[in-house]
Amino acid sequence: MPNARSAVAVALPVPLYGTYTYRVEEKHATRVEPGSRVVVPVRGRRMVGVVTDAEPRLEEGRQYRAILEAPDEQPSLTAPLLATCQWIARHYAAPPGLVFRAALPSLLTGPGKPAPEPKSRRIANIANPLATLVERDAVFKRSPKQREVFELLESLGGRVPVEHLETQLGVSSSVMTSLVKRGFLSIEREATMRDAFGRRPRAPHVTLEPTPAQRAAIDALSAGEPGAVFLLHGVTGSGKTLVYIEVLRRLVIEQGRSAIVLVPEIALTPQTVDRFRAAFGNSVAVLHSALSDGERLDAWRAIRSGERRIVVGARSAVFAPLSNVGVIIVDEEHESSYKQGETPRYHARDVAVMRAKAEGGIAILGSATPSLESWSYAQRESYKLLSLPDRVGGGALPRVQVVDLRERNPATLADPYRRVFSEPLDRALRTTIERGEQAILLLNRRGFAAFVQCNACGDVVACPNCSISLTVHRTPERLTCHYCGHAEEIRVKCARCNGPTIKERGLGTQQVERLLIETLPSARVARMDVDTTSARWAHADILDRVARKEVDVLLGTQMIAKGLDFPNVTLVGVIDADVGLNLPDFRSGERAFQLMAQVAGRAGRGPKGGLVFIQTRVPGHHAVRAAVEHDYRSFVSKELMDREFPAYPPTVRLANVVFSGTEEAETMGAAERGATYLNKLIAKGRVEGVHVIGPAPCAIERIKSRWRWHVLLRARRSSELTRVLSYFSTHHSPEGGTANLRVVIDRDPVSLL
Ligand SMILES: [Zn+2]
Ligand SMILES: [Zn+2]
């Protein structure tokens, strides 16, 4: 029986750093513990807060308002989870109430009612796929509009809600009707798209015998001390998932504990998720972004009650309300999608480590290309390093060949296809398709062309809201901003000098797709990028088609580099490795290496072996060289040296303080005042070993009509950075200054753009 409380400290879901004290009436006294939700009055409104302290210091003679309701029978946040949230609030200088809100289902923290369930909707499906260009030319000879819609649908994965086509993409309903009449399209009603993972056929569980290396890793992990952190460095195809499953079998099934498995993005890793479901059946709860608020609450309750003991999900699943957590696995731990982009700006990998310690469990961070942070922790032995150096089944890593784009015969460059596909890549692609094998092509830029430029004055068409060029898209035809979504007509004349010749430059996935189907008309091509996956589960649909060998060439952005395992893929081509290599960000080399190494790892996972081509203009770059040799260690040792001068993580800890506002001068002024304040703290000796860099305009100076300036804080010791941010955040409230100005603290940023 808990002690009766007379007052409690409560964190409210508002952007303020403090907590508020409320009186507890006797009828609620047994239901308020640290971690319990309470409903409290705030300026005539009701708000749901979380109790952080059950014995707050009370001021003599002060009147406290009473809590209105105590809805939790047992605290919504378990003690280890509450401690983890409080660590997040301190470490990331985030208002605690906003951290709790992020950790709980929205229906538990808002005053709102459950959202209405989605009604049935109409889905357009391709009913009769046309494989070749010849067939298309014949069928659509007199109906180019129908062809356009058909191919649009195809590029979107063959299955798209009618509403999306009509309202977002401007497709006319009469064209769709004609396609239906001709039997190329069918339109079906779908009750809901709810929990598509629940409806996915469950794969049979195949028991595999672990290799000696896997066995050693499983034994070491199962014997891990409470709070231990393991870095599982396994080359692509080395069978990390099997290790995870066997560790879960021991710690969860045999020892009766519970577990969290984090994956970068559920929709992109259906194969991994399927394997956990096959192995553990109904013990598994899959948390994904397509769950409705009601479904999310149902899942949360099933987890809180102990009905489900293994939770698989993306970033926010680290807050799953399990008790007695024995292990938290972070698969592909190097992925930047583990960092939350809004307050609280936590990194789920680092939260996983803190939570595992609080739970008395272990954390396993797995990757073929670990982040430099995790690697250096392993070097200093704060993390235990385990290696899976070989592919399972005796498979070899694919041979990687560099194509130097500077050394090509100029005569071939007149041909647009040849400009994109070098001779060796083209030859390999044709052979692969002829043999009935599959290829993956990576180009990390969506759209048709990178930008448009005036031939006369050199002006590049840029977004009116952001300081970034607009990208050319073909389906639908327009110029689009990838930051704010602004779209406009493709121009025929230069807006600046009225010059008549505007040229499209740079390459996007849409253009590569077009070149492929024109040049290799019999090849079945699927494209996977943000534009083709706007419909829910489009990712899984495309990947399932690849698995069924209905696709010869899978073309896409970085989305296709994540953990896919298709034994029939024998060729991987990186169309342009230089995209991203030269971004003004200290992690650009690391990102480019990870992307190349990960996509190369998709090749040759079956007995047929594999081949990889990397096309680049900088073959001597250490990221390219290391990717060719599959040499992660040589990459990290060079990259770690580069991060000493100037000092970047993991040599130092960083916090990026970003000021933004609609007025440029005001924004700059705020950044200057912020930097002055921080410099004073250092001058007064309040903090040591912290350097203030800036203020300076951000690399992308303007996003969504807001000017952006930043101040960078660099510290040798994590604790000093925590102190300086705590001073700063209490003096600059997050919405500080005028209503128009915003200050954002991004600690351990994954990007400085
Ligand atoms: Zn011009
Ligand atoms: Zn924009």
Side-chain angles (χ1 to χ4, degrees):
M1 196 65 184
N3 296 328
R5 312 292 182 196
S6 60
V8 286
V10 177
L12 296 173
V14 291
L16 295 170
Y17 288 92
T19 55
Y20 300 83
T21 304
Y22 287 90
R23 191 157 49 78
V24 180
E25 289 170 350
E26 189 133 354
K27 60 181 173 184
H28 295 134
T30 56
R31 285 165 76 102
V32 286
E33 286 291 298
S36 302
R37 291 175 306 135
V38 286
V39 181
V40 298
V42 180
R43 291 200 204 95
R45 285 194 302 145
R46 294 156 61 87
M47 242 186 215
V48 180
V50 171
V51 175
T52 57
D53 185 352
E55 286 161 357
R57 211 157 0 119
L58 299 178
E59 287 169 41
E60 203 70 45
R62 192 175 148 186
Q63 291 296 308
Y64 294 96
R65 308 190 65 180
I67 62 170
L68 302 173
E69 279 169 48
D72 284 351
E73 222 155 282
Q74 52 173 353
S76 280
L77 295 164
T78 61
L81 194 46
L82 179 67
T84 306
C85 290
Q86 287 173 320
W87 175 81
I88 293 175
R90 270 197 313 280
H91 185 82
Y92 296 97
L98 296 185
V99 179
F100 297 133
R101 187 172 67 183
L104 291 168
S106 58
L107 289 182
L108 289 184
T109 56
K113 289 187 272 316
E117 292 298 329
K119 292 194 288 280
S120 80
R121 52 182 194 165
R122 294 185 306 148
I123 309 282
N125 287 286
I126 289 185
N128 179 7
L130 295 165
T132 68
L133 207 58
V134 184
E135 282 179 64
R136 278 158 210 241
D137 285 345
V139 165
F140 294 121
K141 201 171 175 189
R142 278 191 300 269
S143 46
K145 278 254 161 61
Q146 288 179 24
R147 177 178 187 155
E148 208 177 284
V149 172
F150 183 84
E151 289 182 347
L152 172 64
L153 209 71
E154 208 173 37
S155 76
L156 293 172
R159 216 181 129 70
V160 185
V162 172
E163 196 200 339
H164 180 76
L165 288 169
E166 290 180 349
T167 60
Q168 300 292 311
L169 303 173
V171 170
S172 96
S173 58
S174 65
V175 175
M176 270 191 281
T177 312
S178 317
L179 281 167
V180 171
K181 274 190 196 143
R182 298 182 65 191
F184 291 113
L185 207 69
S186 70
I187 291 183
E188 64 184 45
R189 269 199 179 276
E190 195 177 56
T192 47
M193 292 282 274
R194 289 176 53 174
D195 204 358
F197 257 102
R199 294 184 311 149
R200 265 174 89 80
R202 195 168 288 170
H205 178 54
V206 189
T207 315
L208 296 166
E209 197 51 46
T211 64
Q214 286 173 322
R215 170 68 58 206
I218 295 162
D219 290 342
L221 291 165
S222 315
E225 298 284 315
V229 184
F230 293 90
L231 177 60
L232 180 62
H233 176 218
V235 299
T236 55
S238 60
K240 289 186 288 293
T241 310
L242 176 83
V243 172
Y244 301 151
I245 287 174
E246 290 309 313
V247 171
L248 292 184
R249 198 183 303 289
R250 291 197 192 174
L251 295 182
V252 179
I253 304 302
E254 290 168 19
Q255 295 184 22
R257 306 191 70 178
S258 63
I260 299 172
V261 181
L262 299 182
V263 294
E265 241 173 293
I266 290 280
L268 294 180
T269 50
Q271 290 178 311
T272 311
V273 178
D274 285 347
R275 285 186 65 185
F276 285 104
R277 290 177 62 233
F280 300 111
N282 285 338
S283 306
V284 178
V286 181
L287 299 180
H288 52 81
S289 57
L291 292 179
S292 70
D293 288 348
E295 287 170 319
R296 194 169 295 277
L297 182 58
D298 290 347
W300 187 91
R301 288 193 173 126
I303 297 164
R304 183 77 178 95
S305 70
E307 201 180 304
R308 305 284 175 115
R309 289 195 292 143
I310 297 174
V311 174
V312 181
R315 190 172 59 220
S316 64
V318 76
F319 298 116
L322 294 160
S323 303
N324 192 16
V325 177
V327 53
I328 305 181
I329 294 166
V330 185
D331 192 26
E332 310 292 347
E333 65 90 32
H334 62 277
E335 280 283 339
S336 54
S337 61
Y338 283 124
K339 181 82 155 91
Q340 164 99 333
E342 54 196 51
T343 308
R345 291 178 156 69
Y346 65 90
H347 199 301
R349 175 190 64 218
D350 299 337
V351 175
V353 167
M354 293 315 291
R355 179 155 183 205
K357 284 186 202 294
E359 300 272 359
I362 61 165
I364 307 174
L365 317 180
S367 176
T369 53
S371 63
L372 266 69
E373 280 84 351
S374 297
W375 186 257
S376 70
Y377 277 130
Q379 296 289 291
R380 284 180 275 147
E381 295 179 11
S382 341
Y383 293 179
K384 294 185 177 61
L385 180 64
L386 298 172
S387 296
L388 300 175
D390 302 306
R391 284 191 155 182
V392 290
L397 286 163
R399 197 153 56 82
V400 184
Q401 220 172 300
V402 167
V403 180
D404 188 340
L405 292 176
R406 297 168 305 181
E407 288 176 358
R408 283 177 306 164
N409 179 357
T412 63
L413 299 185
D415 175 1
Y417 173 80
R418 257 307 149 71
R419 266 206 301 272
V420 175
F421 289 89
S422 63
E423 217 235 306
L425 178 56
D426 170 54
R427 211 175 328 120
L429 191 57
R430 288 173 197 266
T431 318
T432 304
I433 298 169
E434 271 162 30
R435 285 199 197 126
E437 295 166 6
Q438 291 166 293
I440 286 181
L441 297 175
L442 169 82
L443 177 64
N444 204 13
R445 192 192 289 121
R446 64 195 174 95
F448 190 81
F451 55 93
V452 284
Q453 189 171 29
C454 169
N455 257 5
C457 75
D459 191 43
V460 171
V461 181
C463 175
N465 314 317
C466 311
S467 48
I468 196 124
S469 55
L470 294 178
T471 305
V472 184
H473 284 246
R474 275 284 176 272
T475 43
E477 185 114 0
R478 59 191 176 193
L479 291 171
T480 308
C481 172
H482 287 182
Y483 275 83
C484 72
H486 164 86
E488 59 183 66
E489 299 272 293
I490 295 180
R491 306 171 184 198
V492 281
K493 278 184 178 176
C494 173
R496 197 166 117 195
C497 73
N498 215 22
T501 46
I502 281 215
K503 241 188 137 55
E504 296 179 355
R505 295 188 193 279
L507 198 60
T509 44
Q510 285 185 352
Q511 187 173 166
V512 176
E513 180 188 34
R514 165 90 9 214
L515 292 170
L516 270 176
I517 53 182
E518 280 167 6
T519 315
L520 304 170
S522 64
R524 296 164 302 172
V525 179
R527 196 180 95 222
M528 190 155 125
D529 53 34
V530 170
D531 302 309
T532 63
T533 49
S534 55
R536 247 181 232 179
W537 304 110
H539 305 90
D541 289 344
I542 295 173
L543 297 177
D544 288 347
R545 276 167 57 213
V546 178
R548 291 194 302 264
K549 300 187 189 168
E550 292 167 15
V551 167
D552 301 310
V553 183
L554 174 64
L555 159 72
T557 56
Q558 39 86 24
M559 277 185 187
I560 59 171
K562 292 180 213 282
L564 305 181
D565 189 359
F566 300 118
N568 197 41
V569 170
T570 54
L571 175 69
V572 163
V574 179
I575 303 279
D576 186 351
D578 308 351
V579 175
L581 209 49
N582 300 315
L583 287 175
D585 191 278
F586 73 96
R587 282 189 214 272
S588 59
E590 184 182 0
R591 286 260 171 69
F593 169 75
Q594 285 163 347
L595 189 54
M596 281 185 276
Q598 292 287 348
V599 75
R602 303 309 120 208
R605 296 172 82 100
K608 293 170 197 158
L611 188 57
V612 178
F613 288 93
I614 295 178
Q615 303 193 130
T616 176
R617 277 168 211 80
V618 285
H621 193 290
H622 71 279
V624 177
R625 289 215 314 267
V628 171
E629 301 291 333
H630 300 290
D631 192 350
Y632 171 79
R633 282 168 190 260
S634 87
F635 172 77
V636 271
S637 60
K638 169 80 171 76
E639 187 74 20
L640 281 171
M641 253 159 41
D642 289 354
R643 303 243 185 122
E644 304 248 344
F645 305 102
Y648 279 112
T651 308
V652 289
R653 298 300 202 100
L654 284 188
N656 195 20
V657 184
V658 180
F659 300 79
S660 71
T662 49
E663 301 298 325
E664 190 180 12
E666 199 184 4
T667 309
M668 188 181 79
E672 276 167 354
R673 283 193 302 281
T676 307
Y677 172 82
L678 290 162
N679 278 313
K680 264 191 202 148
L681 281 183
I682 292 161
K684 284 183 193 158
R686 295 271 181 82
V687 282
E688 277 170 23
V690 178
H691 290 269
V692 178
I693 301 145
C698 295
I700 300 169
E701 283 186 281
R702 214 162 143 249
I703 295 180
K704 297 182 187 169
S705 299
R706 298 181 69 85
W707 295 92
R708 303 168 74 238
W709 279 66
H710 69 151
V711 175
L712 203 57
L713 291 168
R714 198 177 252 169
R716 289 275 159 188
R717 289 221 312 273
S718 179
S719 55
E720 288 300 310
L721 197 53
T722 307
R723 272 158 58 78
V724 83
L725 291 178
S726 147
Y727 277 122
F728 181 82
S729 57
T730 38
H731 286 84
H732 283 70
S733 73
E735 314 291 332
T738 63
N740 174 9
L741 271 171
R742 254 181 249 152
V743 185
V744 159
I745 297 171
D746 187 8
R747 176 153 190 189
D748 306 334
V750 292
S751 150
L752 295 181
L753 296 175

